[in-house]
């Protein structure tokens, strides 16, 4: 079984990699559709020939690496079970303690550590590529610090969730998935409340926006939209990246309007205001809460299908893989495998919903600011600084993009009807 797994995994992965290479480097057209040529959405009108070449190269390599890494996590979970590592992890936990509240976090830590180590080369390759093309400005030590912070935050959250989950599996054999889902709802709200003030500051330094005139204009926009904010935050991202971003996140008293300093440094004031109007649009149209509702619904179906598939997998292959009960912590790799596969299968639907929400936010922002030139200019500058591919291959768009393509966004802004252009 082990030999077959290694042989077939290598053969299929090599074939998959070759097909990906052909798709990204031979079969996809990097040109601009005729309908967009010469418009503001045509990168030739706002990017130099060198920038355009680098953008196409960088996007191809990043997309190739991203898709190459997609099945690796699945292969790791399968390998952990087939080679008996899950049984070793479980037995090691039992040697440390006879209490499941200790055994389960130990198992989670061992599995997460192994997965992180095996995926590290690909993560580093993506980071190296970003540095090589001038997107990332982050030192290796700073990058590793962020990786370690992410590792331990992920472990703490996952250890808590999995410990509760496997206690429910043991106590409520047929209803654990439903109880787990009910408990997840307040947890998701709590994490949404906690994220801006506890987790985000672990990675970056947040300060009040230094440009008080700009802050006043942003807060005026927020006030017009009934966004309950009394200050704007600036985050120091220039030491890590040349990309630009802004966002509104959090709920209740922890709601935050945040601008990356790269956005402030590279965009003109009216362009910054358009970007902020876009983020305010998300808040006004309750996209934060709709997104949370979507996660809650997706969690319900994810746990429901995982419950049935995990029971089937345990009956069919569990004994050979080292577990005969779903509540045995050795089944965790199978649980993760099923959940990640389901997530991948349903991701096109999730991304399509996200792209629609982003379009709505773009339209809200252009109606609010009534400044098409600033709107178009901001997206063009975002494209140049991030070496974004304005017209990615279909596979990338539908399996990776939570936003419309830059070509679609700029074209929409250029042709948008129904606004009176703001007079200077």
């Amino acid at each position: 079984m082990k030999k077959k797994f290694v042989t077939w995994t290598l053969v299929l992965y090599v074939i998959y990699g070759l097909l990906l290479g052909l798709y990204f480097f031979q079969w996809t057209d990097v040109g601009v559709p005729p309908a967009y040529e010469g418009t503001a959405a045509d990168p030739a009108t706002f990017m130099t020939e060198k920038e355009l070449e680098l953008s196409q190269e960088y996007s191809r390599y990043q997309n190739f690496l991203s898709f190459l890494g997609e099945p690796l996590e699945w292969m790791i979970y399968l390998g952990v079970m087939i080679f008996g590592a899950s049984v070793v992890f479980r037995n090691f936990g039992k040697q440390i303690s006879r209490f499941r509240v200790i055994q389960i976090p130990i198992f989670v830590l061992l599995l997460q550590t192994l997965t992180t180590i095996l995926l590290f080369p690909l993560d580093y390759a993506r980071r190296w590529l970003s540095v090589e093309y001038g997107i990332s400005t982050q030192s290796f030590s700073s990058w590793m610090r962020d990786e370690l912070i992410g590792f331990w935050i992920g472990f703490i959250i996952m250890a808590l969730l999995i410990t509760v989950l496997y206690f429910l599996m043991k106590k409520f054999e047929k209803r654990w998935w439903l109880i787990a889902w009910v408990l997840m709802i307040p947890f998701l709200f709590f994490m949404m409340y906690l994220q801006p003030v506890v987790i985000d500051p672990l990675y970056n330094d947040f300060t009040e926006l230094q440009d008080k005139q700009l802050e006043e204009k942003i807060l005026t926009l927020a006030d017009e939209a009934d966004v309950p904010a009394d200050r704007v935050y600036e985050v120091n991202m220039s030491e890590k990246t040349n990309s630009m971003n802004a966002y509104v996140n959090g709920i209740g008293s922890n709601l935050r309007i945040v601008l990356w300093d790269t956005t402030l440094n590279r965009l003109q004031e009216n362009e910054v205001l358009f970007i902020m109007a876009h983020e305010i649009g998300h808040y006004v149209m309750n996209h934060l809460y709709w997104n949370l509702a979507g996660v809650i619904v997706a969690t319900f179906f994810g746990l429901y299908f995982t419950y049935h598939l995990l029971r089937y997998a345990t009956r069919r292959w569990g004994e050979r893989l080292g577990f005969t009960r779903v509540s045995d912590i050795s089944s965790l790799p199978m649980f993760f495998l099923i959940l990640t596969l389901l997530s991948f299968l349903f991701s096109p639907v999730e991304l399509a919903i996200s792209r629609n929400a982003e379009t709505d936010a773009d339209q809200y922002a252009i109606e609010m600011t009534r400044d098409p030139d600033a709107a178009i200019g901001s997206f063009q500058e975002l494209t140049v600084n991030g070496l974004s591919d304005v017209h990615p291959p279909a596979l990338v768009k539908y399996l990776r993009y939570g936003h419309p393509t830059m070509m679609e966004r700029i074209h929409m802004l250029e042709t948008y009807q129904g606004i009176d252009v703001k007079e200077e």
Side-chain angles (χ1 to χ4, degrees):
M1 188 177 181
K2 296 176 184 176
K3 187 176 180 181
K4 283 185 178 180
F5 171 76
V6 172
T7 301
W8 279 106
T9 298
L10 287 175
V11 169
L12 292 175
Y13 192 64
V14 168
I15 293 173
Y16 172 70
L18 289 173
L19 289 173
L20 280 180
L22 288 171
Y23 179 77
F24 287 119
F25 296 99
Q26 295 293 330
W27 297 340
T28 53
D29 181 17
V30 296
V32 176
Y36 294 95
E37 289 181 356
T39 68
D42 183 351
T45 64
F46 61 88
M47 298 177 78
T48 66
E49 188 174 331
K50 182 64 174 176
E51 287 171 339
L52 191 54
E53 180 184 346
L54 289 174
S55 169
Q56 292 168 352
E57 283 181 6
Y58 177 69
S59 297
R60 280 176 162 177
Y61 286 126
Q62 280 288 19
N63 290 331
F64 176 72
L65 288 175
S66 181
F67 277 87
L68 200 62
E70 188 68 56
L72 282 181
E73 194 172 353
W74 310 337
M75 291 157 54
I76 290 170
Y77 294 143
L78 275 173
V80 163
M81 291 184 289
I82 290 172
F83 283 92
S86 56
V87 175
V88 173
F89 293 166
R90 179 194 64 196
N91 293 341
F92 179 76
K94 287 182 176 180
Q95 290 175 1
I96 298 296
S97 173
R98 62 188 180 90
F99 299 107
R100 278 167 58 86
V101 73
I102 303 296
Q103 295 170 7
I104 294 173
I106 288 174
F107 190 100
V108 172
L109 179 61
L110 292 172
L111 180 60
Q112 182 174 320
T113 300
L114 178 63
T115 304
T116 301
I117 291 171
L118 293 177
L119 292 176
F120 181 82
L122 198 64
D123 292 336
Y124 180 78
R126 284 196 286 260
R127 181 256 172 191
W128 177 86
L129 191 67
S130 184
V131 171
E132 195 71 10
Y133 277 83
I135 305 301
S136 174
T137 58
Q138 190 174 20
S139 66
F140 177 75
S141 59
S142 173
W143 178 73
M144 279 301 301
R145 175 183 174 276
D146 285 352
E147 291 293 300
L148 288 171
I149 290 173
F151 176 90
W152 287 111
I153 290 175
F155 164 69
I156 292 169
I157 294 173
M158 192 58 65
L160 173 64
L161 293 178
I162 297 303
T163 300
V164 172
L165 181 69
Y166 272 77
F167 270 98
L168 293 176
M169 286 179 175
K170 188 175 180 65
K171 190 170 181 61
F172 306 99
E173 186 177 340
K174 294 184 178 181
R175 289 290 178 266
W176 62 261
W177 65 274
L178 183 59
I179 300 170
W181 174 73
V182 171
L183 293 176
M184 277 295 292
I185 295 174
F187 178 78
L188 290 170
F189 273 97
F190 177 68
M191 289 304 297
M192 192 174 179
Y193 180 80
L194 208 64
Q195 179 86 27
V197 295
V198 175
I199 296 177
D200 290 347
L202 295 175
Y203 293 92
N204 300 294
D205 295 326
F206 290 79
T207 60
E208 291 187 22
L209 184 61
Q210 300 302 305
D211 187 339
K212 294 304 176 183
Q213 287 186 332
L214 177 60
E215 182 181 46
E216 185 178 347
K217 292 180 180 180
I218 293 172
L219 291 177
T220 298
L221 288 178
D223 185 60
E224 290 175 8
D226 293 325
V227 176
D230 55 6
R231 63 176 61 106
V232 179
Y233 290 89
E234 178 180 339
V235 57
N236 180 16
M237 290 298 296
S238 55
E239 62 184 20
K240 295 183 178 182
T241 183
N242 283 317
S243 295
M244 298 181 289
N245 198 11
Y247 58 88
V248 177
N249 72 341
I251 55 175
S253 60
N254 282 356
L255 180 77
R256 282 194 169 186
I257 299 175
V258 180
L259 274 165
W260 287 14
D261 64 338
T262 49
T263 305
L264 293 167
N265 296 337
R266 290 179 172 85
L267 293 185
Q268 298 177 16
E269 184 179 272
N270 57 349
E271 293 172 338
V272 172
L273 291 175
F274 171 79
I275 295 296
M276 292 314 303
H278 169 94
E279 300 303 330
I280 289 170
H282 282 306
Y283 180 86
V284 170
M285 290 180 280
N286 295 312
H287 289 163
L288 294 174
Y289 294 102
W290 280 112
N291 181 59
L292 183 60
V295 172
I296 291 171
V297 172
T299 301
F300 175 87
F301 287 105
L303 287 172
Y304 173 77
F305 287 122
T306 300
Y307 162 73
H308 287 287
L309 292 171
L310 187 57
R311 287 185 68 190
Y312 173 79
T314 302
R315 288 196 304 267
R316 181 75 184 270
W317 302 292
E319 191 171 349
R320 281 184 289 175
L321 296 175
F323 55 91
T324 55
R325 291 174 292 110
V326 168
S327 59
D328 187 331
I329 190 59
S330 294
S331 70
L332 183 60
M334 181 65 76
F335 176 86
F336 281 160
L337 175 62
I338 294 170
L339 208 57
T340 53
L341 283 170
L342 288 173
S343 177
F344 175 76
L345 290 174
F346 287 101
S347 63
V349 176
E350 176 190 348
L351 292 172
I353 294 171
S354 176
R355 289 194 297 271
N356 185 67
E358 293 296 336
T359 298
D360 289 344
D362 285 345
Q363 292 174 351
Y364 177 90
I366 192 64
E367 290 174 358
M368 189 179 206
T369 60
R370 296 181 292 117
D371 193 345
D373 291 339
I376 292 168
S378 65
F379 282 159
Q380 289 176 338
E381 195 66 27
L382 283 168
T383 302
V384 173
N385 280 275
L387 290 183
S388 303
D389 187 355
V390 298
H391 184 52
L395 197 64
V396 176
K397 175 182 175 180
Y398 294 112
L399 292 180
R400 281 289 180 274
Y401 272 40
H403 291 67
T405 67
M406 277 300 189
M407 182 171 286
E408 291 170 337
R409 299 180 82 178
I410 294 173
H411 182 68
M412 185 278 291
L413 294 171
E414 188 178 29
T415 58
Y416 192 73
Q417 303 294 321
I419 61 166
D420 296 322
V421 177
K422 182 173 64 176
E423 297 292 338
E424 294 294 338

